[in-house]
Amino acid sequence: MNSNPFISYPHRYWQNIDGSAATHARAGIIETPQGAKEPSVVIFRDKACLTILTVEDATRLSNEIIDQLERPLV
């Protein structure tokens, strides 16, 4: 994984701020090819579904987010 921070363009600042505020998570159900139902987390931007995460990947991603917030940028 790349350890360099991603740097967004200044002209996208308000787009990023608005998108950040409009992004939220909801509990979901993902159906397997065999028809079984498993819990999941659905990430939305406004009403648009961005992705559906398995419980394991939602946990992994939340830990990665926390790790990055605790990491110094310099």
Side-chain angles (χ1 to χ4, degrees):
M1 180 186 297
N2 188 341
S3 63
N4 294 328
F6 178 88
I7 301 173
S8 67
Y9 295 115
H11 69 275
R12 298 229 184 223
Y13 179 79
W14 290 111
Q15 177 184 354
N16 292 330
I17 294 299
D18 292 344
S20 178
T23 302
H24 60 278
R26 283 183 50 192
I29 296 172
I30 188 169
E31 291 191 47
T32 68
Q34 296 76 27
K37 294 180 170 110
E38 298 177 352
S40 66
V41 174
V42 185
I43 307 297
F44 288 91
R45 166 100 21 107
D46 291 320
K47 293 180 180 179
C49 174
L50 296 180
T51 193
I52 299 172
L53 302 171
T54 64
V55 171
E56 295 81 9
D57 285 327
T59 302
R60 174 189 53 77
L61 182 59
S62 68
N63 288 330
E64 287 180 10
I65 290 170
I66 291 166
D67 289 347
Q68 293 307 307
L69 289 172
E70 293 174 344
R71 179 178 172 251
L73 290 178
V74 271

